[in-house]
Amino acid sequence: MSSITHLQFLESEAIFILRETAAQFQKPALLFSGGKDSIVMAWLARKAFYPAKLPFSLLHVDTGHNFPEAMTYRDWFVEEIGAKLVVGSVQKSIDEGRSQEEKGINASRNKLQTVTLLDTIEENQFDACLGGGRRDEEKARAKERFFSHRDEFGQWDPKNQRPELWNIFNGRKHFGEHFRVFPLSNWTEMDIWQYIRQENIPLPSLYFSHKRKIIERHGQLLDTETGFIPLLDEEKPRVKEMVIRFRTVGDATCTGAVESTASTIDDIVAEVAAARQTERGTRADDKRSETAMEDRKKEGYF
């Protein structure tokens, strides 16, 4: 009797869900930010449909407050796999009056992505969006199904989810509704890194140890080099160069770093194994309230 490793099982499960998405929906898209989870998901999609090209576009919701390294990687990766890239612009939503820029020292465009995402979905008539969310990341994501239904307003109702017995997925919907699909739901951060190591997947340099000018604010190590984070006068003397890396990559205004000397995949795997804080613990947007993620998801967030 043959046996498979847990990574082979997770890969097989994710590929099955990716193929189910392509089969059940007319025009799906894969949410791609240049972060490690979306990179792994796109890598799996490439495997799932090889030697054909991806049967769906990559969709990036651009806050305009991105790490340059992530954008450079995004453009390279899209060209490398020959995919089509659709970009939704938060700045455009602000200019058109669809979103309102936050004010103050802790202002972020992270929450504003919801309006841009929903507008881009409607504009392109996407009926499913593949996301890289994992259940181990955050308690709101832990309660979400593989096939997550969204109503005609793009909203998620956690108390009205469909059963998924025996890996049978129900993608039926009414006109104007859509689905979010999460092929990596059962993966952990450790699984992601072990798979990256196994497949030798290239990543943005942000994930590896490097020197960067940092300000510590409310327990978060925030980057000051992008220029997106305004500094108070009393904070400016406290900016210092530190050896850090990013465990998760998102909007630069709310993505915190961790002190780290991990410069290789093996180093990162060892670091993650010893970590006592989840990767989302470095995200300032999740600390705004106890239910910050669930509240955003109910409104239509990723």
Side-chain angles (χ1 to χ4, degrees):
M1 183 177 179
S2 62
S3 61
I4 63 172
T5 67
H6 80 287
L7 285 182
Q8 289 174 324
F9 173 82
L10 290 171
E11 178 187 64
S12 176
E13 178 184 64
I15 286 175
F16 171 70
I17 293 167
L18 285 160
R19 290 172 176 166
E20 275 290 298
T21 303
Q24 291 200 37
F25 299 99
Q26 293 183 346
K27 194 177 181 183
L30 187 150
L31 295 167
F32 188 81
S33 64
K36 68 182 186 308
D37 298 314
S38 63
I39 291 169
V40 167
M41 184 169 58
W43 189 273
L44 288 162
R46 191 182 187 187
K47 273 192 167 187
F49 301 103
Y50 185 84
K53 290 189 176 182
L54 297 187
F56 35 71
S57 302
L58 302 187
L59 169 58
H60 178 221
V61 177
D62 181 4
T63 65
H65 291 169
N66 303 293
F67 290 101
E69 297 90 338
M71 293 301 92
T72 299
Y73 181 93
R74 181 201 70 180
D75 296 339
W76 169 82
F77 188 83
V78 168
E79 184 176 351
E80 178 72 13
I81 68 173
K84 177 185 176 183
L85 177 67
V86 175
V87 179
S89 170
V90 171
Q91 184 62 56
K92 181 182 177 183
S93 298
I94 294 171
D95 294 341
E96 293 177 349
R98 295 281 294 149
S99 298
Q100 185 173 356
E101 188 98 67
E102 291 184 359
K103 307 296 182 183
I105 195 69
N106 296 309
S108 172
R109 289 185 174 182
N110 190 67
K111 189 176 181 180
L112 275 60
Q113 294 179 95
T114 299
V115 170
T116 306
L117 172 62
L118 295 178
D119 285 350
T120 306
I121 288 172
E122 183 175 1
E123 180 183 338
N124 291 274
Q125 294 297 295
F126 294 132
D127 55 356
C129 284
L130 292 150
R134 309 188 321 269
R135 288 172 178 154
D136 77 315
E137 286 183 283
E138 207 276 340
K139 55 184 177 292
R141 286 182 168 165
K143 64 175 77 169
E144 195 160 16
R145 303 286 194 260
F146 282 107
F147 274 39
S148 183
H149 175 260
R150 296 293 193 273
D151 65 19
E152 63 270 27
F153 300 106
Q155 298 173 327
W156 173 57
D157 181 0
K159 295 181 179 179
N160 184 26
Q161 300 190 76
R162 299 176 181 183
E164 293 181 340
L165 305 176
W166 307 292
N167 281 350
I168 298 175
F169 302 111
N170 180 2
R172 294 183 180 180
K173 57 182 177 56
H174 294 295
F175 181 79
E177 299 175 344
H178 72 277
F179 275 79
R180 307 289 171 82
V181 182
F182 301 100
L184 306 182
S185 288
N186 287 335
W187 295 54
T188 65
E189 184 184 11
M190 177 63 81
D191 294 330
I192 292 291
W193 282 110
Q194 289 180 333
Y195 189 75
I196 289 169
R197 178 172 62 181
Q198 173 184 291
E199 299 291 306
N200 195 29
I201 302 174
L203 293 174
S205 59
L206 292 163
Y207 285 108
F208 301 96
S209 177
H210 60 284
K211 291 182 179 179
R212 190 174 287 259
K213 291 181 180 178
I214 296 292
I215 180 67
E216 183 174 353
R217 180 186 291 169
H218 307 309
Q220 304 291 116
L221 300 180
L222 299 174
D223 166 73
T224 63
E225 295 185 5
T226 59
F228 299 131
I229 296 180
L231 296 175
L232 297 171
D233 290 339
E234 57 266 31
E235 287 181 320
K236 293 177 181 177
R238 294 195 284 112
V239 174
K240 59 182 178 180
E241 189 173 76
M242 300 176 66
V243 178
I244 58 93
R245 75 176 190 88
F246 293 92
R247 287 177 69 183
T248 175
V249 174
D251 186 273
T253 59
C254 59
T255 301
V258 293
E259 290 191 77
S260 173
T261 58
S263 58
T264 67
I265 299 292
D266 287 337
D267 291 342
I268 292 173
V269 168
E271 184 179 272
V272 170
R276 291 297 175 264
Q277 181 187 44
T278 68
E279 60 188 303
R280 296 292 304 190
T282 64
R283 295 291 289 269
D285 49 319
D286 288 349
K287 297 181 181 297
R288 294 194 169 190
S289 75
E290 184 67 23
T291 58
M293 173 63 82
E294 183 163 329
D295 292 341
R296 294 200 306 274
K297 288 183 75 66
K298 287 179 179 178
E299 294 172 358
Y301 189 72
F302 302 109

